[in-house]
Amino acid sequence: MSDNCRLPLFADCKEVDNSIKCPGDSGYSVIPLFGKRVRVRKDSAPIMLMGCLDELSNIANSTRLDFGGNVIGEIASIVMALSIQLNAYLVQGSDDRLSRVRSVEDLLMAKIADLCRGFKGPLGWIIATTPELQALDTIRVKLRECGRIASSMLDDYPPSVNVISVMNHADKLIAQAMYCMGGHVFRSVDDAMNYLLGNITR
């Protein structure tokens, strides 16, 4: 590779035979997972979960930037912090890191509890009615996806149960926020369908 045009190297990449070789090029990666180094395929559940948490962090950050200064931005900031802490827990697997994850989870719960205090309303199928609520729903959907991936890791990696519980709780809290903030609630999926298609089929 010409010295006049050198690419920056990641810390674990090497120049070999005038080209750059990086871990993972063979379809496998060696990663730290719950405090141990493991060799896994790049399409394995641990890699997918780390990627899902990265995507969650990215979605939450976009929401934080779009709606900064209001409660939606605050919720997004907490979720972004939660996703970063969860990724760190996947790597370290320590009780100390898990306690930090739980502290962010508790902050999210306190924020939603404060937001929804005194709220009484119907439960059912909910559809976002504003861009703010749609942003929250996008976060909720990604939380559920990450939780499903974590569930697939239970047999091989028992500590993933901690990730699952946090994801499941956060998913429910975000859904609760949507109810409290005025999402349109329907008693059945057919009611939701009629709402969505009513003007089109008339």
Side-chain angles (χ1 to χ4, degrees):
M1 185 168 286
S2 170
D3 288 337
N4 295 326
C5 183
R6 294 175 64 87
L7 294 174
L9 290 176
F10 288 100
D12 52 357
C13 294
K14 298 178 181 179
E15 290 188 59
V16 179
D17 296 330
N18 212 33
S19 63
I20 295 176
K21 302 291 185 181
C22 297
D25 290 350
S26 65
Y28 288 84
S29 290
V30 177
I31 61 170
L33 182 64
F34 296 122
K36 299 178 181 179
R37 291 182 67 79
V38 297
R39 185 173 186 265
V40 294
R41 283 174 49 122
K42 294 186 76 68
D43 62 350
S44 67
I47 295 288
M48 291 174 63
L49 180 55
M50 289 175 178
C52 190
L53 289 170
D54 281 343
E55 292 170 6
L56 175 61
S57 180
N58 186 269
I59 291 168
N61 193 39
S62 178
T63 302
R64 181 185 70 85
L65 295 173
D66 287 343
F67 302 107
N70 64 25
V71 68
I72 301 294
E74 292 175 354
I75 292 171
S77 291
I78 297 171
V79 172
M80 184 176 180
L82 186 66
S83 65
I84 292 170
Q85 286 286 7
L86 279 168
N87 242 333
Y89 174 66
L90 278 178
V91 170
Q92 298 171 3
S94 67
D95 290 341
D96 176 66
R97 182 58 62 184
L98 181 58
S99 71
R100 299 184 191 191
V101 171
R102 295 296 188 188
S103 69
V104 180
E105 179 187 12
D106 289 344
L107 180 60
L108 179 63
M109 182 168 58
K111 171 60 68 174
I112 303 304
D114 186 57
L115 176 69
C116 295
R117 186 167 288 112
F119 172 79
K120 294 181 180 179
L123 297 179
W125 293 82
I126 187 166
I127 294 177
T129 53
T130 65
E132 290 87 351
L133 293 183
Q134 180 55 47
L136 279 187
D137 204 27
T138 301
I139 288 173
R140 180 193 63 80
V141 169
K142 184 55 69 173
L143 282 164
R144 291 190 69 185
E145 179 185 343
C146 296
R148 286 193 295 269
I149 296 171
S151 294
S152 72
M153 295 170 53
L154 269 175
D155 291 341
D156 294 326
Y157 308 101
S160 61
V161 70
N162 296 317
V163 180
I164 296 166
S165 67
V166 172
M167 296 275 94
N168 186 61
H169 190 205
D171 162 27
K172 301 299 188 295
L173 289 171
I174 298 300
Q176 185 63 37
M178 292 180 63
Y179 282 110
C180 298
M181 297 186 72
H184 202 141
V185 181
F186 302 89
R187 292 190 178 278
S188 71
V189 65
D190 291 326
D191 290 342
M193 182 193 70
N194 291 335
Y195 166 78
L196 292 170
L197 302 181
N199 290 333
I200 298 171
T201 57
R202 284 194 186 105

